[in-house]
Amino acid sequence: MIGDGAVAARLGTGAAAVLPPARAADETVLAVTAGTTGTPATVLVDLTGTGGPDLGTEPLALPETARRWTPFAEDTLGTVFGVLRALVRSRALDGARVLLLTSCPADDPEPAPTAYALHSLVRTVAGETGRFTVRLAGIDTGRVTAAELLAEAHRDDADWVRLGPDGRHAAVLYAETPDEAGSGDAGALLADGGGYLITGGLGGLGRHIAADVLRRRPTAHLVLVGRSAADEDALRELRRTAGPGATVHYRRCDIADAAQVAALADWLDGAGIRLRGVVHTAGVLRDGFLRGKSAAAVEEVCRGRCSARSTSTPRSPGTRWTSSCCAPRWPPSSAIRDSPTTPSPTASWTGSPGTAPAGPSADCAPVAPCRPAGPSWPTPA
């Protein structure tokens, strides 16, 4: 067993060995332990004790966002990536069944936002190695038994399950219907003369969205932000297509830097621009296999933004800080828009574990959190 949470405390005495996460993140320790106990048939990874699981569940003020990011990055993010990277690198666990455990209390069965992101990471790891199987289970830590967990580890019918008093539920990924995906006229969501902030605004996707906003609402006021110096040719082209009274601004700003985002918000006030929405297309690419990832590279990707398909999947400071700075300046109808990727930092954990990409369209995410639009939980299996 790996971990130091509630499951390890309650059931660890029956395990052949219990390793705290910091030691399990060292593949040499895994090899030595397996040499002593024999190659394990099952490895339970208890993540119920990691900190920062509530990141992304509610809108936060700027100082609180920064305060919660630190334990998330150092504990949850560091623990998960460190342990999984060691498991992928090690040859000591070949053939093992790995089951990651997160807390899912009976009185609050909705998974934490980080669990949705972790599910994507589990699917990525499963695609990176065939030497062991890896799955995810949300559990009621005070009720689940060792026999249930061992039995679950040896099932192959679902990569994410919830075990609770009402039985076993398997997560099901489903295609959105046109109504759910919001495939109607996107222009209906835009206001004439409205202000729209686009992060990564002069990137390929950012420019495409900016041009489309101006095409649909020629009098819009656009504020494009990015870390690089302005591309004057691209700005001239956008301004050429703008209608009378429209404005296209570029502000150099790193949205993962709270002070820069606060300065941006002050500039918006001074310019008299009232935002009607934000489109997040900024991202950091550090692509590569998990076995070669450094902790610094992982945090850099996740810190800039967390690609996610749902409102409540965890947003890193890039998104959270932009939201908390700009939300007081929005009218009630305003919305954040996140570019989706696959069902996903924190989906910076989506796809390859070094990518925080932006997809070709945008999901509407209200300022207040709502139920995550991830896997559904059907009747007990």
Side-chain angles (χ1 to χ4, degrees), residues 17-275:
V18 179
L19 295 176
R23 296 198 66 212
D26 184 338
E27 55 264 35
T28 301
V29 172
L30 294 178
V32 170
T33 304
T36 302
T37 65
T39 300
T42 305
V43 178
L44 301 179
V45 182
D46 180 9
L47 299 177
T48 63
T50 56
D54 57 347
L55 184 68
T57 59
E58 59 184 343
L60 301 174
L62 198 59
E64 182 65 10
T65 301
R67 188 186 71 80
R68 292 199 194 183
W69 169 255
T70 299
F72 176 80
E74 295 179 354
D75 194 353
T76 303
L77 197 57
T79 296
V80 169
F81 272 95
V83 169
L84 288 178
R85 182 180 57 192
L87 293 178
V88 170
R89 286 176 172 177
S90 175
R91 300 305 302 247
L93 303 178
D94 287 6
R97 299 261 179 172
V98 179
L99 186 64
L100 276 63
L101 308 174
T102 63
S103 179
C104 194
D107 59 352
D108 185 18
E110 180 61 43
T114 48
Y116 285 89
L118 183 58
H119 178 225
S120 290
L121 180 59
V122 165
R123 290 164 61 87
T124 298
V125 173
E128 185 170 323
T129 181
R131 292 187 292 103
F132 60 83
T133 65
V134 57
R135 297 171 55 248
L136 177 65
I139 61 171
D140 184 343
T141 57
R143 189 208 62 84
V144 72
T145 66
E148 285 179 297
L149 295 178
L150 291 174
E152 184 58 49
H154 287 265
R155 296 185 66 160
D156 292 313
D157 57 334
D159 54 22
W160 188 11
V161 298
R162 187 183 74 212
L163 305 177
D166 58 345
R168 176 182 186 267
H169 297 256
V172 176
L173 291 173
Y174 63 95
E176 291 179 327
T177 65
D179 287 343
E180 291 173 323
S183 60
D185 180 16
L189 299 173
L190 303 173
D192 289 324
Y196 296 94
L197 178 71
I198 303 176
T199 68
L202 288 182
L205 180 60
R207 278 186 285 180
H208 177 79
I209 291 176
D212 194 55
V213 170
L214 289 173
R215 180 179 64 83
R216 296 172 184 272
R217 291 293 182 266
T219 59
H221 300 281
L222 299 186
V223 180
L224 314 180
V225 300
R227 292 179 297 174
S228 304
D231 182 336
E232 296 298 337
D233 290 339
L235 285 173
R236 273 193 296 270
E237 179 61 23
L238 285 172
R239 287 165 179 156
R240 185 185 64 79
T241 63
T247 56
V248 179
H249 303 275
Y250 182 80
R251 304 295 298 178
R252 197 166 183 177
C253 174
D254 181 353
I255 63 165
D257 186 308
Q260 292 187 42
V261 174
L264 172 64
D266 290 339
W267 178 86
L268 290 170
D269 280 344
I273 298 175
R274 191 181 190 196
L275 295 182

